[in-house]
Amino acid sequence: MDQIKINLSEQDMPRQWYNVLPDLADPLAPPLDPETRKPLAPDRLEAIFPKALIEQEMSAQRWIDIPEPILEIYRLFRPSPLVRARRLEQAIGTKARIYYKNESVSPAGSHKPNTAIAQAYYNKQEGVRRLATETGAGQWGTALSFACKMFDMECTVYMVRCSYDQKPYRGIIIRTYGGDVYPSPSSRTSIGRQMLEKDPDSGGSLGLAISEAVEDAATHGDTKYALGSVLNHVVLHQTITGLEVKKQLEMAGEKPDILVGCVGGGSNFGGLVLPYMPEKMDGQKIRFVAVEPQACPTLTKGRFAYDFGDMARQTPLLKMYTLGHAYFPPPIHAGGLRYHGESPIVSHIARHGFVEARAYFQNEVFDAARLFMQAEGFLPAPETSHAIKATIDLAREAEPGQVIVFLYSGHGLLDLGSYDAYLRGDLQDKAFTDDEIAEALKDCPQL
Ligand SMILES: *Cc1c(COP(=O)(O)O)cnc(C)c1O
């Protein structure tokens, strides 16, 4: 009898995160100061981040101990199960074996608490009373408000106005955790007030919400800022998933041939694949497949260059795959994948040929989500469904006996509006032309 769920015991949960930085054959390009365009002095970040996280951002230490108070909260939902998707295999008619790492079992319903808990902890340690952040679709705001409550901290979430109006449920969860959520642009910050003066009905954008949260942190001594993806320390915290997968596959007597994850800012994908980098650099045959929307094709069509992380050009310049910080992706339903840039670490290993990227349209992604749901029973987030679509295609191409593992980054129970649009046939499949990309990339700083 084949085992379906491969569960680790709490004692076998990893106690260290894996930092890939010291293992990279050539080093990551440093972040640059947005004004001087010289490598950023670490203390420039201290207004918005705690020292411990700035240290992790640049750490040369391969293994980083997870403090016990973080492990204790992880244990509310970790280790998460690795599940054999046998019924999906049968539905596809593949002889490959498909597993998924189920991160939707966290309280917030996604992988994001893995870093939210760690970030709240290190801030608390340094006497921070409140965290400010932005959220688009609301997943990150949910995770951070949960994490702040665990450490008795306050949480202020700037939520992009159009999502705030269209998707009230995430805001309700954030408030129930005790967080405060404001539609962005808000009148709480000078950049928000400027925007409201120009356009009182502005729907906002993620870039603007970032600017508001950063301003809130920089102008309040007891408040710092937290980011849910992209940065090295975020990807570091997410390696708990790949480290668990390694142990779970060993328990099942399996070796992975292909690892698959969707990419927005790159944190769930990086968390899954980076613990396999040493083997991969050693020449072991294991494929890393990153999946993105055709409407925001950062890895498949972007440029590897220094760019700003936000529209207001306030953040440090990061060397990454980017579509240009002024790129405004069409309003697709996988809100978590609508980011113009990409984790510098994931970008770096992609640049060195370690990552295969694939891009898909919304309708084919929702077709895959429905096939998965009808076979396995669970309703995936639209973001996650990108990884599912690629996994199904890979399984159809695979040799018999190949092992494919994908990261199930979140459930879709609060994305029913998107499923409704799909079922009605209302989803647009917008192709992104080379001319539009060239236009968007014009805004990258020339260095
Ligand atoms: C935020 C989110 C993503 C994308 O973010 P990454 O940093 O690329 O992982 C993917 N899936 C879900 C469910 C999310 O909430």
Side-chain angles (χ1 to χ4, degrees):
M1 194 185 69
D2 277 324
Q3 204 179 343
I4 299 289
K5 288 200 302 306
I6 299 149
N7 288 319
L8 283 178
S9 67
E10 282 182 23
Q11 293 93 300
D12 287 334
M13 188 169 85
R15 283 158 188 279
Q16 293 176 314
W17 293 297
Y18 168 66
N19 176 22
V20 76
L21 293 179
D23 286 339
L24 295 175
D26 79 287
L28 220 57
L32 302 183
D33 191 302
E35 280 146 34
T36 65
R37 313 238 158 146
K38 299 250 159 56
L40 190 75
D43 60 1
R44 287 268 288 144
L45 293 171
E46 284 176 20
I48 57 167
F49 292 121
K51 290 196 181 74
L53 292 177
I54 298 170
E55 245 171 67
Q56 287 183 358
E57 192 61 22
M58 319 189 172
S59 175
Q61 200 180 314
R62 182 170 295 115
W63 293 100
I64 296 181
D65 288 342
I66 309 177
E68 181 54 37
I70 296 176
L71 289 171
E72 191 205 313
I73 296 169
Y74 275 180
R75 277 187 229 118
L76 294 174
F77 58 98
R78 307 213 68 84
S80 70
L82 181 71
V83 186
R84 172 87 184 270
R86 281 192 63 91
R87 299 177 58 90
L88 178 65
E89 292 165 17
Q90 280 157 10
I92 306 169
T94 178
K95 294 249 161 34
R97 293 196 286 282
I98 300 174
Y99 292 85
Y100 66 95
K101 177 66 168 166
N102 189 357
E103 291 297 305
S104 76
V105 299
S106 81
S110 75
H111 64 288
K112 289 196 169 76
N114 297 330
T115 185
I117 295 162
Q119 293 189 46
Y121 168 79
Y122 289 113
N123 276 285
K124 177 81 179 182
Q125 285 291 99
E126 294 183 30
V128 175
R129 203 179 55 76
R130 181 169 69 98
L131 287 177
T133 196
E134 73 289 336
T135 198
Q139 298 266 26
W140 171 240
T142 306
L144 194 69
S145 58
F146 155 65
C148 283
K149 185 43 72 187
M150 295 297 107
F151 291 105
D152 212 4
M153 297 169 77
E154 287 177 29
C155 184
T156 305
V157 180
Y158 295 88
M159 185 165 182
V160 180
R161 163 122 237 165
C162 57
S163 312
Y164 183 92
D165 292 338
Q166 281 165 12
K167 301 181 178 175
Y169 291 138
R170 285 276 169 201
I172 296 168
I173 300 179
I174 293 170
R175 286 199 192 90
T176 312
Y177 276 128
D180 290 312
V181 52
Y182 300 99
S184 165
S186 79
S187 55
R188 293 171 51 86
T189 63
S190 70
I191 185 143
R193 287 189 294 272
Q194 271 171 38
M195 194 65 208
L196 286 174
E197 249 164 56
K198 267 194 258 163
D199 177 9
D201 298 321
S202 165
S205 72
L206 201 57
L208 182 67
I210 294 177
S211 305
E212 285 206 274
V214 169
E215 180 184 323
D216 185 339
T219 53
H220 294 91
D222 62 353
T223 303
K224 297 223 186 278
Y225 170 71
L227 193 64
S229 186
V230 181
L231 297 180
N232 301 349
H233 66 266
V234 178
V235 177
L236 170 77
H237 303 150
Q238 291 296 350
T239 59
I240 183 95
T241 68
L243 294 166
E244 285 183 5
V245 165
K246 264 188 150 169
K247 290 191 171 193
Q248 287 163 313
L249 286 178
E250 270 164 34
M251 279 169 66
E254 295 276 34
K255 271 200 156 164
D257 295 289
I258 312 177
L259 300 176
V260 187
C262 63
V263 285
S267 74
N268 86 81
F269 173 77
L272 174 68
V273 308
L274 292 177
Y276 284 94
M277 267 303 276
E279 285 93 325
K280 175 115 174 154
M281 288 187 293
D282 237 26
Q284 250 186 51
K285 265 213 196 127
I286 168 169
R287 295 165 64 190
F288 298 165
V289 178
V291 195
E292 58 190 16
Q294 282 281 3
C296 195
T298 317
L299 283 171
T300 47
K301 294 189 175 162
R303 178 191 295 164
F304 186 61
Y306 271 108
D307 196 10
F308 294 99
D310 69 329
M311 271 184 169
R313 300 164 155 254
Q314 287 188 328
T315 67
L317 290 162
L318 300 175
K319 185 107 181 246
M320 60 186 175
Y321 279 95
T322 178
L323 293 166
H325 58 274
Y327 176 60
F328 202 79
I332 54 161
H333 287 273
L337 306 185
R338 291 179 68 225
Y339 185 63
H340 68 273
E342 186 71 62
S343 141
I345 292 179
V346 170
S347 297
H348 182 92
I349 64 168
R351 182 68 176 176
H352 284 72
F354 292 112
V355 176
E356 301 163 46
R358 297 188 170 204
Y360 291 105
F361 289 109
Q362 303 198 83
N363 279 295
E364 55 188 349
V365 164
F366 276 89
D367 289 343
R370 181 168 57 181
L371 177 62
F372 176 87
M373 184 187 184
Q374 292 185 354
E376 296 289 326
F378 291 100
L379 177 78
E383 292 85 356
T384 310
S385 306
H386 286 72
I388 295 173
K389 168 63 181 159
T391 297
I392 290 170
D393 284 1
L394 288 159
R396 291 201 163 116
E397 301 157 12
E399 312 278 324
Q402 281 205 310
V403 173
I404 307 174
V405 181
F406 74 89
L407 198 130
Y408 191 88
S409 58
H411 69 65
L413 292 170
L414 293 173
D415 299 285
L416 294 181
S418 328
Y419 278 89
D420 186 36
Y422 163 68
L423 293 172
R424 287 166 189 271
D426 285 348
L427 288 188
Q428 306 285 318
D429 280 340
K430 190 188 168 296
F432 191 41
T433 67
D434 291 343
D435 285 351
E436 286 171 304
I437 296 170
E439 188 56 38
L441 283 169
K442 274 192 191 146
D443 284 305
C444 281
Q446 303 294 321
L447 290 167

